[in-house]
Amino acid sequence: MKRIFFTTAFLASCLLANSEISTNYTYKDYDNSKTKTNGKTLDYRLLHNFENSQIVINYEDSLTKRENEITKAKLTSLEVEKLSMKYLYHISDDLSFKTSFINIEDNLAPTDDGKIYGLGLIKSMNSSTEIKVDTYLSDYDDFNANQYDLIFVKRFKFNEINFMGQTGIKYIDINGSKYGNYILKDNYYASYFLNLNANYNGFIFGLGFMDGDRLFAVQDDGLKVEHHALEQSKTYMISLGKKFKDIDLISRYIYSKSDELPENRDNVRSKFVSIGFNYKFNL
């Protein structure tokens, strides 16, 4: 999977113009988890614009350490690789079509070899307002998960500060009851989120909040998925960064509360700290 991504990235980067490459490192820390202790995730992303289209390819490589809660003996680490792709086509000045795909390789979870297919539409109401409608089908061996997103985007300016606000809802319908040997008790989940980002002279600041239960949720515009049976509830995010001429640097802190379903463990707290680098080819 890694070879496929880097070969594609190399061929696309040869075109240079209208392309972006980025990498993101995330340190993960878990509190009150049954077996998870800490870990890391590396993301490599390529974005390329051509004519009326845009393609994004993301490769994710993740390692999470595990140990026995009582004896502290080391357990097999959780290793995950994901390859995701998104294609966006501008039908007209105010309407765009999106499709996406994710492939999962996991050494422990029943959702190994899972595949997620996405479709979406973006409608511009005016120069500052958008409405997005997305649907995702997550295809796993024991069950499927259907997700429906409705997102409202608003851009505005106050003094010299440019703002972008997003709010939306996620509805998830799980078709099936088994996650390996565990029986899923709920099949319907709904959540909402609020994000606000600000840009002042190239300095970036962001706040985000997500509330309401979700399970096997697709995130990041179809490029990420929470494929473990970890029932998320509240998530908080803060980001800081700086935009230069061709380079963006950004850091994020994410705090989440969740329940580990197969382990029957409530009030698991996850803390993620990440730093990202993005380079734009402007030829």
Side-chain angles (χ1 to χ4, degrees):
M1 186 183 293
K2 185 184 294 186
R3 183 179 300 174
I4 294 172
F5 171 80
F6 284 110
T7 300
T8 305
F10 172 76
L11 293 174
S13 64
C14 291
L15 300 174
L16 294 180
N18 302 317
S19 296
E20 298 179 20
I21 57 172
S22 60
T23 184
N24 191 83
Y25 172 83
T26 302
Y27 173 77
K28 306 181 292 185
D29 182 71
Y30 298 92
D31 185 21
N32 200 42
S33 172
K34 186 75 172 180
T35 62
K36 297 177 183 176
T37 57
N38 56 67
K40 63 180 181 179
T41 297
L42 276 168
D43 282 279
Y44 306 93
R45 185 169 295 190
L46 167 72
L47 180 152
H48 181 66
N49 292 296
F50 55 100
E51 296 181 352
N52 294 324
S53 301
Q54 180 188 89
I55 186 167
V56 183
I57 303 174
N58 192 86
Y59 170 73
E60 175 186 331
D61 188 7
S62 180
L63 174 71
T64 304
K65 296 179 180 179
R66 302 166 62 245
E67 67 179 23
N68 184 283
E69 186 178 27
I70 306 300
T71 66
K72 304 302 180 182
K74 302 299 181 184
L75 302 175
T76 302
S77 295
L78 175 63
E79 300 177 13
V80 182
E81 289 183 276
K82 297 175 187 173
L83 183 65
S84 57
M85 291 171 278
K86 181 182 70 172
Y87 173 73
L88 180 69
Y89 179 73
H90 300 291
I91 301 171
S92 64
D93 291 340
D94 59 359
L95 185 64
S96 300
F97 166 79
K98 183 197 78 176
T99 183
S100 61
F101 172 75
I102 304 175
N103 182 73
I104 302 167
E105 292 185 7
D106 190 307
N107 67 324
L108 295 177
T111 43
D112 176 41
D113 201 33
K115 293 174 174 55
I116 295 90
Y117 307 90
L119 293 173
L121 287 174
I122 305 170
K123 173 66 175 176
S124 296
M125 309 306 294
N126 51 53
S127 59
S128 63
T129 307
E130 291 179 353
I131 295 177
K132 300 181 180 181
V133 179
D134 296 315
T135 183
Y136 301 99
L137 169 63
S138 300
D139 182 13
Y140 302 112
D141 284 342
D142 295 332
F143 65 93
N144 295 329
N146 301 312
Q147 177 176 316
Y148 309 96
D149 292 359
L150 177 62
I151 303 168
F152 176 79
V153 182
K154 181 68 176 180
R155 297 176 180 85
F156 59 97
K157 188 172 183 177
F158 180 76
N159 291 334
E160 298 301 316
I161 307 175
N162 293 304
F163 290 93
M164 184 180 74
Q166 293 189 77
T167 185
I169 57 174
K170 290 181 179 292
Y171 176 78
I172 300 171
D173 174 11
I174 299 174
N175 180 15
S177 60
K178 291 183 62 180
Y179 175 83
N181 296 322
Y182 177 77
I183 302 300
L184 298 169
K185 299 178 178 62
D186 296 318
N187 297 99
Y188 305 100
Y189 293 85
S191 58
Y192 73 91
F193 67 89
L194 295 168
N195 292 326
L196 180 64
N197 295 297
N199 186 331
Y200 175 71
N201 283 342
F203 289 94
I204 309 165
F205 175 73
L207 290 173
F209 171 69
M210 194 165 191
D211 193 19
D213 293 337
R214 65 186 191 272
L215 187 65
F216 308 119
V218 180
Q219 305 279 23
D220 196 13
D221 208 23
L223 291 170
K224 294 278 190 174
V225 61
E226 301 162 350
H227 70 288
H228 293 137
L230 188 69
E231 187 178 86
Q232 303 274 359
S233 54
K234 295 183 184 297
T235 300
Y236 306 87
M237 185 272 291
I238 185 170
S239 62
L240 294 169
K242 181 68 171 73
K243 287 181 174 290
F244 299 94
K245 180 181 178 182
D246 299 321
I247 296 173
D248 298 342
L249 296 173
I250 189 162
S251 60
R252 291 184 181 88
Y253 175 78
I254 300 174
Y255 175 85
S256 294
K257 294 178 66 176
S258 55
D259 300 333
E260 293 176 331
L261 299 184
E263 296 85 355
N264 194 28
R265 176 59 59 92
D266 298 337
N267 198 27
V268 177
R269 295 174 293 279
S270 307
K271 289 166 280 186
F272 296 170
V273 179
S274 68
I275 184 164
F277 168 88
N278 184 75
Y279 182 79
K280 303 180 182 69
F281 293 96
N282 293 315
L283 296 181

